[in-house]
């Protein structure tokens, strides 16, 4: 038995040595583009260019987080007026920060919450302490539904138009400015 080890060819060795340089160069170009965008004022780290916009909500059915409040894609597709769907978690600090704004918004636009990868008792305790802005609350305990929605973290919010079509999306906490300048004008335009 002849178990001889053959060293890599010189061409392969050069390619292996160049790979880290190519990766570092690509990262450098991406970082430079981000810095250039920031200096021009055009870089928004929360602008994720969601491919789900103007598409129907994905198929899902989530159990109740609180008794009688779970919901599904069918519930959203049956809507005749817009609703805000907000992914949140008790362990999420930005979620805590946006709760006062959501509690004000709930009187103008229905908000349905989805507790993301959270223990039921923690999520319920969170909304009891912070004030509950949600008309319905479902539980996405394993986070699989969030993947179908394209959620990258919490909080994340979607404006769902009649028929269950995603009309707006943000991957940042809701602010009063968003409500006044984007959410309510768009929601008002979607009311039939």
């Amino acid at each position: 038995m002849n178990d001889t080890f053959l060293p890599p060819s010189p061409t392969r060795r050069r390619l292996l040595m160049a790979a880290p340089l190519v990766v570092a160069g690509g990262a450098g170009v991406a970082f430079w583009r981000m810095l250039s965008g920031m200096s021009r004022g055009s870089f928004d780290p929360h602008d994720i260019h969601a491919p789900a916009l103007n598409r129907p909500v994905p198929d899902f059915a989530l159990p109740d987080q609180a008794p009688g409040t779970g919901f599904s894609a069918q519930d959203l597709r049956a809507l005749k007026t817009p609703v805000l769907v907000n992914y949140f978690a008790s362990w999420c600090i930005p979620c805590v920060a946006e709760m006062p704004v959501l509690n004000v918004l709930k009187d103008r636009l229905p908000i349905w919450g989805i507790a993301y990868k959270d223990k039921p008792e923690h999520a319920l305790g969170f909304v009891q302490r912070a004030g509950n802005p949600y008309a319905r609350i479902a539980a996405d305990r394993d986070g699989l539904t969030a993947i179908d929605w394209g959620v990258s973290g919490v909080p994340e919010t979607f404006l769902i138009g009649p028929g269950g079509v995603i009309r707006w999306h943000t991957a940042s906490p809701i602010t009063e400015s968003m409500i006044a300048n984007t959410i309510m004008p768009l929601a008002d335009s979607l009311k039939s």
Side-chain angles (χ1 to χ4, degrees), residues 1-10 12-13 16:
M1 178 185 277
N2 187 358
D3 288 333
T4 58
F5 173 74
L6 296 175
S9 69
R12 184 174 174 162
R13 196 175 312 137
L16 288 172

Side-chain angles (χ1 to χ4, degrees), residues 57-187:
V57 295
D59 288 327
F60 74 96
L62 292 174
D64 301 347
Q65 178 62 49
T69 63
F71 59 93
S72 68
Q74 293 305 96
D75 295 320
L76 291 171
R77 291 177 185 147
L79 292 172
K80 302 292 184 219
T81 59
V83 67
L84 216 56
V85 173
N86 175 256
Y87 275 85
F88 74 96
S90 64
W91 44 263
C92 163
I93 300 303
C95 297
V96 173
E98 82 173 347
M99 285 306 256
V101 176
L102 292 178
N103 276 305
V104 170
L105 178 60
K106 74 179 180 183
D107 294 330
R108 299 176 65 194
L109 181 66
I111 305 170
W112 293 9
I114 298 178
Y116 174 74
K117 291 186 173 184
D118 212 346
K119 292 181 178 178
E121 61 275 12
H122 293 173
L124 287 174
F126 172 70
V127 296
Q128 287 171 350
R129 283 187 309 277
N132 186 357
Y134 305 114
R136 297 177 84 164
I137 306 175
D140 187 9
R141 292 186 185 105
D142 57 12
L144 295 178
T145 298
I147 292 170
D148 293 339
W149 281 70
V151 170
S152 59
V154 286
E156 231 169 287
T157 305
F158 299 81
L159 180 64
I160 310 302
V165 177
I166 299 171
R167 297 300 183 182
W168 179 81
H169 172 218
T170 187
S172 63
I174 299 295
T175 64
E176 291 178 8
S177 174
M178 283 181 190
I179 293 170
N181 298 325
T182 306
I183 297 171
M184 286 314 300
L186 183 54

